[in-house]
């Protein structure tokens, strides 16, 4: 072989023989690395932070939108809006913890964060269900609240009812449930809030408040429902991406 530099001799004598060539054919190719996985987690945390911020703002906005006459919306409405506000704030706080765990490679925090996210998604779906249920009978509840409010307007220890009627009539420029005659039927004087106190104090609002209040509350419930449902789906997708990418790290091999 030393005198005959043939191809066969080179293959047998060289340390880069056919065995090493065979090993190269089984070289592993990483589809996802650790940095890629962290990037996916960071994107997902960003989605959760956005969801928490939007839910928090939505809950606060919906509560403030009926400021002064939330009495007509009922306790269930306030409970749902307060619940979603707390959920949004909690998601923001937990997401900050998740970011800390990702950048410091603390697996315990990451796993705990994922567990809490499942709880938050469940809470959002529960809020969505409650809002849908609330929207089905909100008309009846508002009507009952308004009728009771008419009967108790101006009475002692009924300041909340009186303030709610004055606020809704002044803000929405309406009078009574259907019109001003609702006050006369209760043997009450027409409240001053039924009159335009800004442009002309002698001008009475000629439309009822029931439809306006119902539309306002119904719109808020719809906003709450859509927001919770959309972000719950996005968060489920984000968790699916995390699970899919983590299962592929260093597992794909091409021959």
């Amino acid at each position: 072989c030393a005198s005959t530099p043939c191809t066969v001799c080179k293959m047998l004598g060289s340390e880069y023989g056919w065995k090493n060539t065979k090993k190269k054919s089984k070289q592993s190719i990483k589809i996802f690395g650790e940095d890629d996985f962290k990037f996916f987690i960071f994107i997902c945390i960003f989605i959760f932070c956005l969801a928490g911020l939007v839910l928090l703002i939505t809950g606060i906005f919906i509560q403030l939108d009926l400021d002064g006459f939330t009495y007509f919306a009922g306790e269930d409405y306030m409970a749902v809006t307060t619940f979603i506000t707390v959920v949004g704030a909690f998601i923001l706080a937990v997401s900050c913890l998740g970011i800390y765990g990702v950048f410091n490679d603390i697996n315990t925090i990451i796993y705990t964060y994922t567990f809490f996210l499942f709880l938050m998604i469940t809470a959002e779906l529960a809020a969505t269900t409650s809002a849908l249920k609330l929207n089905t009978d909100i008309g009846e509840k508002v009507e009952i609240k308004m009728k009771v409010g008419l009967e108790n307007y101006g009475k002692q220890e009924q300041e909340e009812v009186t303030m709610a009627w004055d606020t809704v009539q002044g803000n929405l420029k309406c009078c009574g449930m259907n019109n001003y005659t609702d006050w006369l039927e209760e043997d009450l004087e027409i409240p001053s809030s039924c009159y335009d106190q800004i442009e002309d104090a002698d001008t009475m609002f000629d439309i009822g408040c029931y439809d306006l209040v119902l539309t306002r509350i119904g719109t808020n419930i719809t906003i709450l429902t859509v927001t919770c449902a959309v972000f719950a789906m996005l968060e489920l997708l984000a968790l699916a991406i995390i699970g899919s990418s983590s299962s592929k790290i260093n597992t794909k091999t091409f021959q």
Side-chain angles (χ1 to χ4, degrees):
C1 291
S3 60
T4 308
C6 61
T7 303
V8 175
C9 292
K10 288 181 179 180
M11 291 180 63
L12 293 175
S14 175
E15 60 179 350
Y16 300 102
W18 61 273
K19 291 184 179 181
N20 193 46
T21 303
K22 187 175 181 180
K23 289 182 180 179
K24 288 184 178 181
S25 65
K26 291 185 177 181
Q27 185 176 1
S28 299
I29 301 177
K30 294 181 180 180
I31 302 300
F32 294 105
E34 293 182 359
D35 293 338
D36 300 313
F37 182 54
K38 286 183 179 180
F39 174 76
F40 280 125
I41 294 181
F42 180 77
I43 293 298
C44 292
I45 292 177
F46 174 78
I47 293 176
F48 284 109
C49 286
L50 180 62
L53 180 62
V54 172
L55 291 175
L56 178 62
I57 293 175
T58 301
I60 294 174
F61 167 77
I62 289 177
Q63 290 187 3
L64 294 179
D65 188 50
L66 298 184
D67 186 30
F69 56 96
T70 52
Y71 166 82
F72 299 124
E75 295 178 356
D76 292 340
Y77 176 89
M78 292 302 300
V80 172
T81 55
T82 301
F83 177 73
I84 205 61
T85 303
V86 173
V87 169
F90 191 78
I91 290 176
L92 279 177
V94 173
S95 294
C96 293
L97 181 64
I99 293 174
Y100 176 81
V102 169
F103 282 99
N104 291 277
D105 294 324
I106 305 176
N107 292 331
T108 303
I109 293 180
I110 296 176
Y111 295 145
T112 304
Y113 172 70
T114 305
F115 172 73
F116 277 116
L117 290 183
F118 274 113
L119 294 182
M120 292 301 99
I121 293 174
T122 303
E124 290 172 27
L125 293 176
T128 302
T129 304
S130 299
L132 287 172
K133 182 180 179 181
L134 178 62
N135 202 29
T136 58
D137 57 357
I138 190 63
E140 181 181 355
K141 291 183 177 180
V142 171
E143 182 179 1
I144 293 174
K145 284 285 188 178
M146 283 191 148
K147 286 182 177 179
V148 173
L150 281 170
E151 296 172 358
N152 293 287
Y153 181 86
K155 294 182 179 179
Q156 292 183 351
E157 299 182 357
Q158 296 294 333
E159 290 81 6
E160 181 184 4
V161 174
T162 303
M163 184 183 69
W165 265 113
D166 288 338
T167 302
V168 73
Q169 290 180 148
N171 290 353
L172 302 184
K173 300 184 182 302
C174 55
C175 186
M177 280 189 62
N178 302 302
N179 51 55
Y180 71 94
T181 59
D182 292 327
W183 295 108
L184 301 178
E185 292 175 0
E186 296 294 332
D187 296 325
L188 295 172
E189 293 184 2
I190 299 176
S192 59
S193 56
C194 279
Y195 295 88
D196 193 339
Q197 303 294 329
I198 298 177
E199 297 181 1
D200 187 359
D202 295 328
T203 301
M204 182 187 300
F205 302 129
D206 57 356
I207 59 174
C209 298
Y210 173 75
D211 290 335
L212 297 176
V213 172
L214 184 60
T215 300
R216 180 75 69 89
I217 295 175
T219 301
N220 289 343
I221 293 176
T222 301
I223 293 173
L224 179 63
T225 304
V226 173
T227 302
C228 289
V230 168
F231 277 105
M233 294 302 103
L234 286 176
E235 289 162 0
L236 284 173
L237 178 62
L239 287 180
I241 292 174
I242 291 177
S244 176
S245 60
S246 63
S247 65
K248 292 179 180 179
I249 294 179
N250 300 328
T251 59
K252 293 277 186 171
T253 303
F254 292 94
Q255 295 182 356

